[in-house]
Amino acid sequence: MHELSLCRSVIRIIDEEARRQRFERVRRVHLTVGAFSHAEGEAIRFAFPAAAAGSIAEGAALEIERGPGRVRCLSCGAVWERMERVAPCGDCGDYAHEVLGGDELKVTSLEVI
Amino acid sequence: MCATCGCGHSHSHSHSHSHSHSPGHEHGQGHSHDQGGDFATRLVRVERDLLAHNDAHAARNRALFAARGTFVLNLVSSPGAGKTTLLVETIRALAGRCPLAVIEGDQETGFDAERIRETGIEAVQLNTGKGCHLDAHQIEGALGGLPLRPGGVLFIENVGNLVCPAGFDLGEHHKVCILSVTEGDDKPLKYPDMFAASDLLILNKTDLLPHVDFDVARCADFARRVNPKIELLRLSARTGEGMAAWLAWLEARIASPANVAGMGTGG
């Protein structure tokens, strides 16, 4: 997707939270990138230093939690967590599914001073 | 690396992702500051969505469309699948029956908006420059230039791209994916995000089926694996084959009270 512009969104969120939660510098950024989101963790890691340059998160470490997607099989009702967007149900082999979650793309927390 | 979408930074997989990307933590790289003399850090909870900015604009668009009683479609496809020709033929078929307006998106040129205006319908051309998709903020900016009247349709023709537009809610009622039969029947599995995000798949250029190796049933099966609820239509915008079913799909939804109340799913 647009990992550089996503990283700029991270910096914007950090600046807003710095005012709200009163901190001055960020040492570590915790992100959640869901398996069914449209972003790629490695590309975020690559783009982050460029976006953070000159900001209060410059030099901060990045921790990316890759959450799995959650689906319910529409044939047998089994609920699965998985990283693949499309896969047969582990119980009945059918592909038809409903997505229950796993597309989050968010800043979960920050380690700050 | 493309600064806009990160392309060029790919890595190959010989098998499914579940082997290479097991869920869990990945520790960030260290940095150059001396941590020994640093103040103790504290943890602050944030829980904020990176796409919230776009989603807020999309919600405002959605509310405006509901207030104006306008049915809005976001047309997505690869470049050259036939979005503009389909729009031109659709406008010709619907002309006079309901208010119509179009927002066109391309990196450069006003070619597509010009083709729409030749049909007598108002069109706004958005040029994204280096950008590879339309976003809700751009749509918000374009709305001032268009008449949106109750019972009407706004068609948004997105930038030709089977990847990026999938992630951006513009405030539409539905994303409609157009796939032409010259593009290969395996695209739903190769580009699952786009087919998952679309409520309707239009297979276009069916007049070319005798000349290409395109298995319609296989494509439909793949599309339903990604999105069990996706609807499917086959047509040729050029010959008119299948257009009646597409117009019926449109007219059923334009007239729907749910759309007038702004309860379309969009996203």
Side-chain angles (χ1 to χ4, degrees), chain A residues 5-94:
Chain A
S5 78
L6 288 176
C7 288
R8 291 200 180 114
S9 291
V10 171
I11 301 304
R12 184 167 52 220
I13 287 169
I14 285 172
D15 285 340
E16 288 169 4
E17 291 297 314
R19 286 190 287 278
R20 245 177 29 90
Q21 303 208 45
R22 300 199 222 286
F23 52 84
E24 289 178 10
R25 288 211 63 86
V26 179
R27 291 297 182 221
R28 192 178 298 272
V29 180
H30 294 262
L31 297 181
T32 299
V33 177
F36 292 176
S37 75
H38 299 110
E40 219 269 300
E42 281 313 301
I44 290 179
R45 186 172 299 291
F46 190 92
F48 184 73
S55 78
I56 63 170
E58 177 166 359
L62 198 56
E63 255 203 55
I64 298 178
E65 180 173 348
R66 300 174 200 272
R70 288 187 75 227
V71 299
R72 177 189 294 124
C73 176
L74 290 176
S75 281
C76 72
V79 173
W80 298 95
E81 289 195 339
R82 66 180 186 218
M83 303 307 278
E84 302 91 340
R85 184 65 190 78
V86 179
C89 172
D91 282 351
C92 73
D94 203 352

Coordinates of all heavy atoms in Angstrom, one line a residue, chain A residues 5-94:
Chain A
S5 N 3.2 7.1 3.3 CA 2.2 8.0 3.8 C 1.5 7.5 5.1 O 1.1 8.2 6.0 CB 1.1 8.3 2.7 OG 0.3 7.2 2.6
L6 N 1.5 6.1 5.3 CA 1.0 5.6 6.5 C 2.0 6.0 7.7 O 1.5 6.3 8.8 CB 1.0 4.0 6.5 CG -0.1 3.4 5.6 CD1 0.0 1.9 5.5 CD2 -1.5 3.8 6.1
C7 N 3.3 6.0 7.4 CA 4.2 6.4 8.4 C 4.0 7.9 8.8 O 4.2 8.3 9.9 CB 5.7 6.1 8.0 SG 6.1 4.4 8.0
R8 N 3.7 8.7 7.8 CA 3.4 10.1 8.1 C 2.2 10.2 9.0 O 2.1 11.0 9.8 CB 3.2 10.9 6.8 CG 4.5 11.0 6.0 CD 4.4 12.2 5.0 NE 5.7 12.3 4.3 CZ 5.8 12.0 3.0 NH1 4.7 11.7 2.3 NH2 7.0 12.1 2.4
S9 N 1.2 9.3 8.8 CA 0.0 9.3 9.6 C 0.4 8.9 11.1 O -0.1 9.5 12.0 CB -1.0 8.2 9.2 OG -1.6 8.7 8.0
V10 N 1.4 8.0 11.2 CA 1.9 7.6 12.5 C 2.5 8.8 13.2 O 2.2 9.1 14.4 CB 3.0 6.5 12.4 CG1 3.6 6.3 13.8 CG2 2.3 5.2 11.9
I11 N 3.3 9.6 12.5 CA 3.9 10.8 13.0 C 2.9 11.8 13.4 O 3.0 12.5 14.5 CB 5.0 11.4 12.1 CG1 6.1 10.4 11.7 CG2 5.6 12.7 12.7 CD1 6.8 9.8 12.9
R12 N 1.8 12.0 12.6 CA 0.8 12.9 12.9 C 0.1 12.5 14.2 O -0.2 13.3 15.1 CB -0.2 13.0 11.8 CG -1.3 14.1 12.0 CD -2.1 14.4 10.7 NE -2.6 13.2 10.1 CZ -2.6 13.0 8.7 NH1 -2.1 13.9 7.9 NH2 -3.0 11.8 8.3
I13 N -0.2 11.2 14.3 CA -0.9 10.7 15.5 C 0.0 10.9 16.7 O -0.4 11.3 17.8 CB -1.2 9.2 15.4 CG1 -2.4 9.0 14.4 CG2 -1.5 8.5 16.7 CD1 -2.6 7.6 13.9
I14 N 1.4 10.7 16.6 CA 2.3 10.9 17.7 C 2.3 12.3 18.1 O 2.3 12.6 19.3 CB 3.7 10.4 17.3 CG1 3.8 8.9 17.3 CG2 4.8 11.0 18.2 CD1 5.1 8.3 16.7
D15 N 2.3 13.3 17.2 CA 2.3 14.7 17.5 C 1.0 15.1 18.3 O 1.1 15.8 19.3 CB 2.4 15.6 16.3 CG 3.9 15.6 15.7 OD1 4.8 15.2 16.4 OD2 4.0 15.9 14.5
E16 N -0.1 14.6 17.9 CA -1.4 14.9 18.5 C -1.4 14.3 20.0 O -1.8 14.9 20.9 CB -2.5 14.3 17.7 CG -2.8 15.1 16.5 CD -3.8 14.4 15.5 OE1 -4.4 13.4 15.9 OE2 -4.0 15.0 14.4
E17 N -0.9 13.0 20.1 CA -0.9 12.4 21.4 C 0.2 13.0 22.3 O 0.0 13.1 23.6 CB -0.5 10.9 21.3 CG -1.6 10.1 20.6 CD -2.9 10.1 21.4 OE1 -2.9 9.9 22.6 OE2 -4.0 10.3 20.8
A18 N 1.2 13.6 21.8 CA 2.2 14.3 22.6 C 1.6 15.5 23.3 O 1.9 15.7 24.5 CB 3.4 14.7 21.8
R19 N 0.7 16.2 22.6 CA 0.0 17.3 23.3 C -1.0 16.8 24.3 O -1.1 17.2 25.4 CB -0.7 18.1 22.2 CG 0.2 19.0 21.4 CD -0.6 20.0 20.5 NE -1.3 19.4 19.4 CZ -0.7 19.1 18.3 NH1 0.6 19.3 18.0 NH2 -1.4 18.6 17.3
R20 N -1.7 15.7 23.9 CA -2.8 15.2 24.8 C -2.3 14.5 26.0 O -2.8 14.7 27.1 CB -3.7 14.2 24.0 CG -5.1 14.6 23.7 CD -5.9 13.6 22.9 NE -5.5 12.2 23.0 CZ -6.0 11.3 23.9 NH1 -6.9 11.7 24.8 NH2 -5.6 10.1 23.8
Q21 N -1.2 13.7 25.8 CA -0.8 12.9 26.9 C 0.6 13.4 27.5 O 1.2 12.8 28.4 CB -0.6 11.4 26.4 CG -1.9 10.8 25.9 CD -1.9 9.3 26.1 OE1 -1.6 8.8 27.1 NE2 -2.3 8.6 25.0
R22 N 1.0 14.5 27.0 CA 2.1 15.3 27.6 C 3.4 14.5 27.6 O 3.8 14.0 28.7 CB 1.8 15.8 29.0 CG 0.6 16.8 29.0 CD 0.6 17.6 30.2 NE -0.7 17.8 30.8 CZ -1.7 18.5 30.4 NH1 -1.5 19.2 29.3 NH2 -2.8 18.6 31.0
F23 N 4.0 14.3 26.5 CA 5.4 13.7 26.5 C 6.2 14.5 25.4 O 5.6 15.2 24.6 CB 5.4 12.2 26.2 CG 4.6 11.8 25.0 CD1 5.2 11.8 23.7 CD2 3.3 11.3 25.1 CE1 4.4 11.4 22.6 CE2 2.6 10.9 24.0 CZ 3.1 10.9 22.7
E24 N 7.5 14.3 25.5 CA 8.4 15.1 24.7 C 9.1 14.3 23.6 O 9.4 14.9 22.5 CB 9.4 15.9 25.6 CG 8.7 16.9 26.4 CD 9.6 17.7 27.3 OE1 10.8 17.5 27.2 OE2 9.1 18.4 28.2
R25 N 9.4 13.1 23.9 CA 10.1 12.3 22.9 C 9.6 10.9 22.9 O 9.2 10.4 23.9 CB 11.6 12.3 23.2 CG 12.3 13.6 22.9 CD 13.8 13.4 22.4 NE 13.9 12.7 21.2 CZ 13.8 13.3 20.0 NH1 13.6 14.6 19.9 NH2 14.0 12.5 18.9
V26 N 9.7 10.2 21.8 CA 9.3 8.8 21.7 C 10.5 8.0 21.5 O 11.3 8.2 20.6 CB 8.3 8.7 20.5 CG1 7.8 7.2 20.3 CG2 7.1 9.6 20.6
R27 N 10.5 6.9 22.3 CA 11.7 6.0 22.2 C 11.3 4.7 21.4 O 12.2 4.1 20.8 CB 12.2 5.6 23.6 CG 12.8 6.7 24.3 CD 14.1 7.2 23.6 NE 14.8 8.3 24.3 CZ 15.3 9.3 23.7 NH1 15.2 9.5 22.4 NH2 15.9 10.2 24.4
R28 N 10.1 4.3 21.5 CA 9.6 3.1 20.8 C 8.2 3.2 20.4 O 7.3 3.7 21.2 CB 9.8 1.9 21.7 CG 9.6 0.5 21.0 CD 9.9 -0.7 21.9 NE 11.2 -0.7 22.5 CZ 12.3 -1.2 21.9 NH1 12.1 -1.9 20.8 NH2 13.4 -1.2 22.5
V29 N 7.9 2.8 19.1 CA 6.5 2.9 18.6 C 6.0 1.5 18.4 O 6.7 0.7 17.8 CB 6.5 3.6 17.2 CG1 5.1 3.7 16.7 CG2 7.1 5.0 17.4
H30 N 4.8 1.2 19.0 CA 4.2 -0.1 18.9 C 3.1 0.0 17.9 O 2.1 0.7 18.1 CB 3.7 -0.7 20.2 CG 4.7 -0.9 21.2 ND1 5.2 -2.2 21.5 CD2 5.4 -0.1 22.1 CE1 6.2 -2.1 22.4 NE2 6.3 -0.9 22.8
L31 N 3.2 -0.8 16.8 CA 2.2 -0.8 15.7 C 1.5 -2.2 15.7 O 2.2 -3.2 15.9 CB 2.7 -0.5 14.4 CG 3.4 0.9 14.1 CD1 3.9 0.9 12.6 CD2 2.4 2.0 14.3
T32 N 0.3 -2.2 15.3 CA -0.4 -3.5 15.0 C -0.7 -3.5 13.5 O -1.4 -2.5 13.0 CB -1.7 -3.7 15.8 OG1 -1.4 -3.7 17.2 CG2 -2.3 -5.0 15.4
V33 N -0.2 -4.4 12.8 CA -0.5 -4.6 11.3 C -1.2 -5.9 11.1 O -0.6 -6.9 11.2 CB 0.8 -4.5 10.5 CG1 0.4 -4.7 9.0 CG2 1.5 -3.2 10.7
G34 N -2.5 -5.8 10.9 CA -3.3 -7.1 10.8 C -3.0 -7.7 9.5 O -2.7 -7.1 8.5
A35 N -3.1 -9.1 9.5 CA -2.8 -9.9 8.3 C -3.7 -9.5 7.1 O -3.3 -9.6 6.0 CB -2.9 -11.4 8.6
F36 N -4.9 -9.1 7.4 CA -5.9 -8.7 6.4 C -5.9 -7.2 6.1 O -6.7 -6.7 5.4 CB -7.3 -9.2 6.7 CG -7.5 -10.7 6.8 CD1 -8.7 -11.2 7.2 CD2 -6.4 -11.6 6.4 CE1 -8.9 -12.6 7.2 CE2 -6.6 -12.9 6.5 CZ -7.8 -13.5 6.8
S37 N -5.0 -6.5 6.7 CA -4.9 -5.1 6.4 C -4.2 -4.9 5.0 O -3.7 -5.9 4.4 CB -4.1 -4.3 7.4 OG -2.7 -4.6 7.3
H38 N -4.1 -3.7 4.5 CA -3.5 -3.5 3.2 C -2.1 -3.0 3.3 O -1.5 -2.4 2.4 CB -4.3 -2.5 2.4 CG -5.7 -3.0 2.2 ND1 -6.8 -2.4 2.8 CD2 -6.2 -4.0 1.5 CE1 -7.9 -3.1 2.4 NE2 -7.6 -4.0 1.6
A39 N -1.4 -3.2 4.4 CA -0.1 -2.7 4.6 C 0.9 -3.9 4.8 O 0.6 -4.9 5.3 CB 0.0 -1.7 5.8
E40 N 2.2 -3.6 4.5 CA 3.2 -4.6 4.6 C 4.2 -4.2 5.6 O 4.8 -3.1 5.5 CB 3.9 -4.7 3.2 CG 4.2 -6.1 2.8 CD 5.6 -6.4 3.2 OE1 6.5 -5.8 2.8 OE2 5.8 -7.4 4.0
G41 N 4.5 -5.0 6.6 CA 5.3 -4.6 7.8 C 6.7 -4.2 7.4 O 7.2 -3.2 7.9
E42 N 7.3 -4.9 6.5 CA 8.7 -4.6 6.1 C 8.8 -3.3 5.4 O 9.8 -2.5 5.6 CB 9.3 -5.7 5.2 CG 9.7 -6.9 5.9 CD 10.6 -6.6 7.1 OE1 11.6 -6.0 7.0 OE2 10.1 -6.9 8.3
A43 N 7.8 -2.9 4.6 CA 7.8 -1.7 3.9 C 7.6 -0.5 4.9 O 8.2 0.6 4.8 CB 6.8 -1.6 2.8
I44 N 6.8 -0.8 5.9 CA 6.6 0.3 7.0 C 7.9 0.5 7.7 O 8.4 1.6 7.9 CB 5.5 -0.2 8.0 CG1 4.2 -0.2 7.4 CG2 5.6 0.7 9.3 CD1 3.0 -0.6 8.3
R45 N 8.6 -0.6 8.0 CA 9.9 -0.5 8.7 C 10.9 0.3 7.9 O 11.7 1.1 8.4 CB 10.4 -1.9 9.0 CG 11.7 -2.0 9.8 CD 12.0 -3.4 10.2 NE 11.0 -4.0 11.0 CZ 10.7 -3.7 12.3 NH1 11.4 -2.7 12.8 NH2 9.7 -4.3 12.9
F46 N 10.9 0.1 6.5 CA 11.8 0.7 5.6 C 11.5 2.2 5.6 O 12.4 3.1 5.5 CB 11.6 0.1 4.2 CG 12.7 0.5 3.3 CD1 13.8 -0.2 3.1 CD2 12.5 1.7 2.5 CE1 14.8 0.2 2.2 CE2 13.4 2.1 1.5 CZ 14.6 1.3 1.4
A47 N 10.2 2.6 5.5 CA 9.8 4.0 5.4 C 9.8 4.8 6.6 O 9.9 6.0 6.6 CB 8.4 4.0 4.8
F48 N 9.8 4.1 7.8 CA 9.6 4.9 9.1 C 10.7 5.9 9.4 O 10.4 7.0 9.7 CB 9.4 3.9 10.2 CG 9.1 4.6 11.5 CD1 7.9 5.1 11.8 CD2 10.1 4.7 12.5 CE1 7.6 5.8 12.9 CE2 9.8 5.4 13.7 CZ 8.6 5.9 13.9
P49 N 12.0 5.6 9.2 CA 13.0 6.6 9.5 C 12.8 7.9 8.7 O 13.1 8.9 9.2 CB 14.3 5.8 9.2 CG 14.0 4.4 9.3 CD 12.6 4.3 8.8
A50 N 12.4 7.7 7.4 CA 12.3 8.9 6.6 C 11.1 9.8 7.1 O 11.2 11.0 7.2 CB 12.0 8.5 5.2
A51 N 10.0 9.1 7.5 CA 8.9 9.9 8.0 C 9.2 10.5 9.4 O 8.7 11.6 9.7 CB 7.7 9.0 8.1
A52 N 10.0 9.8 10.2 CA 10.2 10.3 11.6 C 11.3 11.3 11.6 O 11.4 12.0 12.7 CB 10.6 9.1 12.4
A53 N 12.1 11.5 10.6 CA 13.2 12.5 10.6 C 12.7 13.8 11.0 O 11.7 14.3 10.4 CB 13.9 12.5 9.3
G54 N 13.3 14.5 12.0 CA 12.9 15.8 12.3 C 11.7 15.9 13.3 O 11.3 16.9 13.8
S55 N 11.1 14.7 13.6 CA 10.0 14.7 14.5 C 10.4 14.2 15.9 O 11.6 13.9 16.1 CB 8.9 13.7 14.0 OG 9.3 12.4 14.3
I56 N 9.5 14.2 16.9 CA 9.9 13.8 18.2 C 10.0 12.3 18.3 O 10.4 11.7 19.3 CB 8.8 14.2 19.3 CG1 7.4 13.6 19.0 CG2 8.7 15.7 19.3 CD1 6.5 13.8 20.1
A57 N 9.8 11.6 17.2 CA 10.0 10.1 17.1 C 11.2 9.8 16.3 O 11.5 8.6 16.0 CB 8.8 9.4 16.5
E58 N 12.0 10.8 16.0 CA 13.3 10.5 15.2 C 14.1 9.6 16.0 O 14.4 9.8 17.2 CB 14.0 11.8 14.9 CG 15.3 11.6 14.2 CD 16.0 12.9 13.6 OE1 15.4 14.0 13.8 OE2 17.0 12.8 13.0
G59 N 14.6 8.5 15.4 CA 15.5 7.6 16.0 C 14.7 6.5 16.9 O 15.4 5.6 17.4
A60 N 13.4 6.6 16.9 CA 12.6 5.7 17.8 C 12.7 4.3 17.1 O 12.8 4.1 15.9 CB 11.2 6.1 17.9
A61 N 12.7 3.3 18.0 CA 12.6 1.9 17.5 C 11.1 1.6 17.2 O 10.2 2.3 17.6 CB 13.0 1.0 18.6
L62 N 10.9 0.6 16.3 CA 9.6 0.3 15.8 C 9.3 -1.2 16.2 O 10.2 -2.0 15.9 CB 9.6 0.4 14.3 CG 8.3 0.5 13.5 CD1 7.4 1.7 14.1 CD2 8.6 0.7 12.1
E63 N 8.2 -1.4 16.8 CA 7.8 -2.8 17.1 C 6.5 -3.1 16.3 O 5.5 -2.3 16.6 CB 7.6 -3.1 18.6 CG 8.8 -3.9 19.1 CD 8.4 -4.6 20.4 OE1 7.5 -5.4 20.4 OE2 9.2 -4.4 21.4
I64 N 6.5 -4.0 15.5 CA 5.3 -4.3 14.7 C 4.7 -5.6 15.1 O 5.4 -6.7 15.0 CB 5.7 -4.3 13.2 CG1 6.2 -3.0 12.8 CG2 4.4 -4.7 12.4 CD1 6.6 -2.9 11.3
E65 N 3.5 -5.6 15.6 CA 2.8 -6.9 16.0 C 2.0 -7.2 14.8 O 1.1 -6.5 14.3 CB 2.0 -6.7 17.2 CG 1.3 -8.0 17.6 CD 0.5 -7.9 18.9 OE1 0.8 -7.0 19.7 OE2 -0.3 -8.8 19.1
R66 N 2.3 -8.4 14.2 CA 1.5 -8.8 13.0 C 0.3 -9.7 13.6 O 0.5 -10.9 13.8 CB 2.3 -9.6 12.1 CG 3.5 -8.9 11.6 CD 4.4 -9.8 10.7 NE 5.8 -9.3 10.6 CZ 6.1 -8.4 9.6 NH1 5.3 -8.0 8.7 NH2 7.4 -8.0 9.6
G67 N -0.9 -9.1 13.7 CA -2.0 -9.9 14.1 C -2.6 -10.8 13.0 O -2.5 -10.4 11.9
P68 N -3.1 -11.9 13.3 CA -3.7 -12.8 12.3 C -5.1 -12.3 11.9 O -5.7 -11.5 12.6 CB -3.8 -14.2 13.0 CG -4.0 -13.8 14.4 CD -3.2 -12.5 14.7
G69 N -5.5 -12.8 10.8 CA -6.9 -12.5 10.4 C -7.8 -13.5 11.1 O -7.3 -14.6 11.5
R70 N -9.1 -13.2 11.3 CA -10.0 -14.1 11.8 C -11.2 -14.3 10.9 O -11.7 -13.3 10.3 CB -10.6 -13.6 13.2 CG -9.6 -13.7 14.3 CD -10.3 -13.3 15.6 NE -11.1 -14.4 16.1 CZ -12.4 -14.2 16.6 NH1 -12.9 -13.0 16.6 NH2 -13.1 -15.2 17.1
V71 N -11.5 -15.6 10.6 CA -12.6 -15.9 9.6 C -13.5 -16.9 10.2 O -13.1 -17.7 11.1 CB -12.0 -16.4 8.3 CG1 -11.2 -15.4 7.6 CG2 -11.3 -17.7 8.5
R72 N -14.8 -16.9 9.8 CA -15.7 -18.0 10.1 C -16.1 -18.7 8.8 O -16.5 -18.1 7.8 CB -17.0 -17.4 10.7 CG -18.0 -18.5 11.0 CD -19.4 -18.0 11.5 NE -19.3 -17.3 12.8 CZ -19.6 -16.1 13.0 NH1 -20.1 -15.3 12.0 NH2 -19.5 -15.5 14.2
C73 N -15.9 -20.0 8.8 CA -16.3 -20.8 7.6 C -17.8 -20.8 7.4 O -18.6 -21.0 8.4 CB -15.9 -22.3 7.8 SG -16.4 -23.3 6.4
L74 N -18.3 -20.4 6.2 CA -19.7 -20.3 6.0 C -20.4 -21.6 5.8 O -21.6 -21.7 5.8 CB -20.0 -19.4 4.8 CG -19.7 -17.9 5.1 CD1 -19.9 -17.1 3.8 CD2 -20.6 -17.3 6.2
S75 N -19.6 -22.7 5.6 CA -20.2 -24.0 5.4 C -20.4 -24.7 6.8 O -21.4 -25.3 7.0 CB -19.3 -24.9 4.5 OG -19.5 -24.5 3.2
C76 N -19.3 -24.7 7.6 CA -19.4 -25.5 8.8 C -19.4 -24.7 10.1 O -19.5 -25.2 11.2 CB -18.3 -26.6 8.9 SG -16.7 -26.0 9.2
G77 N -19.2 -23.4 10.0 CA -19.2 -22.5 11.2 C -17.9 -22.5 11.9 O -17.8 -21.7 12.9
A78 N -16.9 -23.2 11.6 CA -15.6 -23.2 12.3 C -15.0 -21.8 12.2 O -15.0 -21.2 11.2 CB -14.6 -24.2 11.7
V79 N -14.4 -21.4 13.3 CA -13.7 -20.1 13.3 C -12.2 -20.3 13.3 O -11.7 -21.1 14.1 CB -14.1 -19.3 14.6 CG1 -13.3 -18.0 14.7 CG2 -15.6 -18.9 14.5
W80 N -11.5 -19.6 12.5 CA -10.1 -19.8 12.3 C -9.3 -18.5 12.5 O -9.8 -17.4 12.1 CB -9.7 -20.4 11.0 CG -10.4 -21.7 10.7 CD1 -11.5 -21.9 10.1 CD2 -9.8 -22.9 11.1 NE1 -11.8 -23.3 10.0 CE2 -10.8 -23.9 10.7 CE3 -8.7 -23.3 11.8 CZ2 -10.6 -25.3 10.9 CZ3 -8.5 -24.7 12.0 CH2 -9.4 -25.7 11.6
E81 N -8.1 -18.6 12.9 CA -7.1 -17.5 12.8 C -6.1 -17.9 11.8 O -5.6 -19.1 11.8 CB -6.4 -17.1 14.1 CG -7.4 -16.5 15.1 CD -6.6 -15.8 16.3 OE1 -5.5 -16.2 16.5 OE2 -7.2 -15.0 16.9
R82 N -5.8 -17.0 10.8 CA -4.8 -17.4 9.8 C -4.2 -16.2 9.2 O -4.8 -15.1 9.3 CB -5.4 -18.3 8.7 CG -6.5 -17.5 7.9 CD -7.0 -18.5 6.8 NE -7.9 -17.7 5.9 CZ -9.1 -18.2 5.4 NH1 -9.5 -19.4 5.7 NH2 -9.8 -17.5 4.6
M83 N -3.0 -16.3 8.6 CA -2.4 -15.2 7.9 C -2.8 -15.1 6.5 O -2.8 -14.0 5.9 CB -0.8 -15.4 8.0 CG -0.3 -15.5 9.4 SD -0.9 -14.2 10.6 CE 0.3 -12.9 10.1
E84 N -3.2 -16.2 5.8 CA -3.5 -16.2 4.4 C -4.9 -15.6 4.3 O -5.9 -15.9 5.0 CB -3.6 -17.6 3.8 CG -2.3 -18.3 3.9 CD -2.2 -19.2 5.1 OE1 -3.0 -18.9 6.1 OE2 -1.4 -20.1 5.2
R85 N -5.1 -14.7 3.3 CA -6.4 -14.1 3.0 C -7.4 -15.1 2.5 O -8.5 -15.0 2.8 CB -6.2 -12.9 2.0 CG -7.4 -12.1 1.7 CD -7.9 -11.4 2.9 NE -9.2 -10.8 2.7 CZ -10.3 -11.4 2.7 NH1 -10.4 -12.7 2.9 NH2 -11.5 -10.8 2.5
V86 N -6.9 -16.0 1.7 CA -7.8 -17.0 1.0 C -7.2 -18.4 1.3 O -6.1 -18.6 1.0 CB -7.9 -16.8 -0.5 CG1 -8.8 -17.8 -1.1 CG2 -8.4 -15.4 -0.8
A87 N -8.0 -19.3 1.9 CA -7.5 -20.6 2.2 C -8.7 -21.5 2.4 O -9.8 -21.0 2.9 CB -6.6 -20.6 3.4
P88 N -8.6 -22.8 2.2 CA -9.8 -23.7 2.5 C -9.9 -23.9 4.0 O -8.9 -23.8 4.8 CB -9.4 -25.0 1.8 CG -7.9 -25.0 1.7 CD -7.5 -23.5 1.6
C89 N -11.1 -24.1 4.5 CA -11.4 -24.4 5.9 C -10.7 -25.6 6.3 O -10.7 -26.6 5.6 CB -12.9 -24.6 6.1 SG -13.4 -25.1 7.7
G90 N -10.0 -25.6 7.5 CA -9.2 -26.7 7.9 C -10.1 -27.9 8.3 O -9.6 -29.0 8.4
D91 N -11.4 -27.7 8.6 CA -12.3 -28.8 8.9 C -13.0 -29.3 7.7 O -12.9 -30.5 7.4 CB -13.4 -28.3 9.9 CG -12.8 -28.2 11.3 OD1 -11.7 -28.7 11.5 OD2 -13.5 -27.7 12.2
C92 N -13.6 -28.5 6.9 CA -14.5 -29.0 5.8 C -13.9 -28.7 4.4 O -14.4 -29.3 3.4 CB -15.9 -28.5 5.9 SG -16.1 -26.8 5.4
G93 N -12.9 -27.9 4.3 CA -12.2 -27.7 3.0 C -12.9 -26.7 2.1 O -12.4 -26.4 1.0
D94 N -14.0 -26.1 2.6 CA -14.7 -25.1 1.8 C -14.0 -23.7 1.9 O -13.3 -23.5 2.9 CB -16.2 -24.9 2.2 CG -17.0 -24.4 1.1 OD1 -16.5 -23.9 0.1 OD2 -18.3 -24.4 1.3

